[in-house]
Amino acid sequence: MKKVSVFVLILVLVLVSANLFAQGTREEAAASGKMKVAMVLKTLSSEYWKRVVAGAEEAAAKFDVELIKLGPPSEDAVEQQINMVQDVLTSNPAALVFSPSQPPTAVNVLMSAKSKGIPVILVDTPMPDTFTDFVTFIGTENYTAGKLGAEAMIKVLGKGKRAVIIEGAPGNPSTTQRADGALEAFTAAGYQIISRQPGYSDRERAYTTMQNILQANKSVDAVFCSNDEMALGALRALEQAGVKALVMGTDGNKGALESILAGGLFGSVAQKPEMMGYRGVEYAI
């Protein structure tokens, strides 16, 4: 089978609540010097989140605000992230730009932000539907992204094949929703789902996960991963095992695009993380 490289672009959907500017511009903060905007992300270590930061830094420079950037060493360091939010709120920033690793665990800390009059802008990952104490959410239609990524592989492979789905950390709605979308597409096409397991949004952990899956079953035709780091890790495991399968990532990061061009990854569903970071700071202001 000839491998076809595919790049699927999913535009970011910006959801803006009716009370976007209800908190005003916090002119009292600007009057005493530079406005201070805090940004707490799931991590600062991966390419994707560095792209979010790059967009935020661009906006901070344009609007001349002080940007505080924080994030734990990995996306599953949930408690550490919550502690970072608690700590940065004590500095009384004008606004908080936040991407919760596990949204239900962030309810209390966001209620603390509300009690301090600090507006919260969510990027990449929303809070549960029942929680409404934030200004706006900026992110991707993750379910659609996963579905389209799987459909791109199905178009080449045909129906009735075998698939693996590797998602992020349990409790991370963004990566779970992408996996759910891919599952719907594979199921509709009559695919056998060999395994669906977490890769914790990490290349090495996804590599190990894929290795373990292949030890039990090497009959794999398609692998959907909820981010590019996991896709690259899964691809390495497949290559080492001598298994030919299409691998689809998510994010559209530089490393994934280079792999696509080199005939490695089949494709990536692209997000716009720079725009998420930029808009997060812009809406904060």
Side-chain angles (χ1 to χ4, degrees), residues 165-213:
I165 299 173
I166 301 179
E167 57 187 303
N172 182 337
S174 295
T175 54
T176 298
Q177 288 166 9
R178 293 168 204 164
D180 289 343
L183 177 62
E184 180 191 325
F186 285 138
T187 302
Y191 275 49
Q192 176 189 353
I193 306 301
I194 295 171
S195 184
R196 174 176 173 172
Q197 294 189 33
Y200 295 90
S201 298
D202 180 80
R203 187 180 305 196
E204 292 305 315
R205 295 176 78 170
Y207 166 71
T208 301
T209 295
M210 192 74 235
Q211 279 187 318
N212 293 337
I213 292 170

Side-chain angles (χ1 to χ4, degrees), residues 2 17 30-32 42 46 52 58 63 106 126 128 134 139 151 174 195 200 230 237 243 252 266 272 277:
K2 181 179 180 182
S17 66
S32 61
K42 295 179 183 178
S46 72
V52 175
E58 180 183 349
F63 298 110
F134 60 93
E151 287 175 343
S174 295
S195 184
Y200 295 90
M230 293 188 293
V243 176
F266 172 70
K272 287 189 173 181

Side-chain angles (χ1 to χ4, degrees), residues 48-78:
Y48 175 82
W49 294 108
K50 288 177 182 177
R51 292 174 63 191
V52 175
V53 170
E57 289 176 334
E58 180 183 349
K62 177 179 178 179
F63 298 110
D64 194 29
V65 301
E66 178 185 350
L67 180 65
I68 303 170
K69 301 159 289 186
L70 298 170
S74 63
E75 290 196 22
D76 60 342
V78 179

